[in-house]
């Protein structure tokens, strides 16, 4: 009986820690994709002097990467929205599957990183938080 109690106590501590570890393992997908897309948007701006007319990177000819959906994305969905009449943008990564659900990260044209949702809780962090609000 004592053995069962000890195992139950260990499991109650280990399982939440492991789940959090798995959750944090999905987040770099969002961070790297947002940073990669930002570089592409800045390169596009150098060529066209705007980030797009009605949609992100929609100039002539529109680049093949403009759909902003990395081919190997597993946990996040990505969107791009223009601001300031094509002189700015906001990139958003939203958790869609697995442990990433409930996470929303943004990156804008001034390189401001924000966390707006973490573990299904609305937050307002001026960084990409990954572990209990820590940046």
């Amino acid at each position: 009986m004592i053995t069962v109690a000890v195992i139950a106590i260990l499991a109650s501590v280990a399982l939440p820690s492991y789940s959090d570890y798995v959750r944090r393992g999905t987040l770099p997908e969002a961070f790297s994709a947002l940073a990669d897309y930002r570089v592409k948007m800045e390169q596009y701006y150098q060529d066209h002097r705007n980030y797009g007319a009605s949609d992100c990177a929609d100039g002539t000819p529109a680049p093949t990467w403009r759909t902003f959906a990395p081919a190997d994305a597993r946990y996040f969905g990505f969107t791009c929205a223009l601001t300031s009449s094509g002189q700015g943008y906001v990139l958003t990564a939203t958790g869609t599957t697995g442990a990433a659900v409930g996470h929303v990260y943004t990156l804008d044209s001034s390189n401001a990183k924000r966390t707006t949702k973490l573990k299904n809780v609305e937050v307002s962090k001026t960084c990409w938080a990954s572990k209990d609000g820590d940046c």
Side-chain angles (χ1 to χ4, degrees):
M1 191 67 155
I2 293 173
T3 304
V4 171
V6 169
I7 290 173
I9 291 170
L10 288 175
S12 68
V13 171
L15 189 58
S17 295
Y18 178 73
S19 297
D20 193 53
Y21 174 77
V22 169
R23 179 191 60 80
R24 285 183 286 132
T26 65
L27 303 182
E29 175 183 294
F31 305 156
S32 65
L34 289 172
D36 179 55
Y37 200 71
R38 180 178 188 276
V39 169
K40 292 175 181 176
M41 289 295 287
E42 295 305 324
Q43 290 171 338
Y44 182 88
Y45 188 87
Q46 286 181 341
D47 294 338
H48 301 278
R49 305 312 294 160
N50 64 42
Y51 295 109
S54 61
D55 199 7
C56 292
D58 65 351
T60 304
T64 57
W65 49 263
R66 71 175 289 277
T67 59
F68 190 39
D72 58 347
R74 294 176 41 195
Y75 303 106
F76 284 85
F78 300 93
T79 59
C80 178
L82 292 178
T83 60
S84 304
S85 300
Q87 294 301 309
Y89 62 86
V90 176
L91 308 173
T92 304
T94 304
T96 57
T97 61
V101 171
H103 292 80
V104 179
Y105 299 99
T106 64
L107 178 64
D108 65 21
S109 52
S110 63
N111 201 29
K113 301 172 184 175
R114 290 188 176 79
T115 303
T116 57
K117 201 171 195 183
L118 183 68
K119 294 183 182 181
N120 256 349
V121 176
E122 299 288 330
V123 295
S124 181
K125 295 281 185 179
T126 56
C127 62
W128 288 336
S130 59
K131 184 177 180 182
D132 296 326
D134 293 341
C135 299

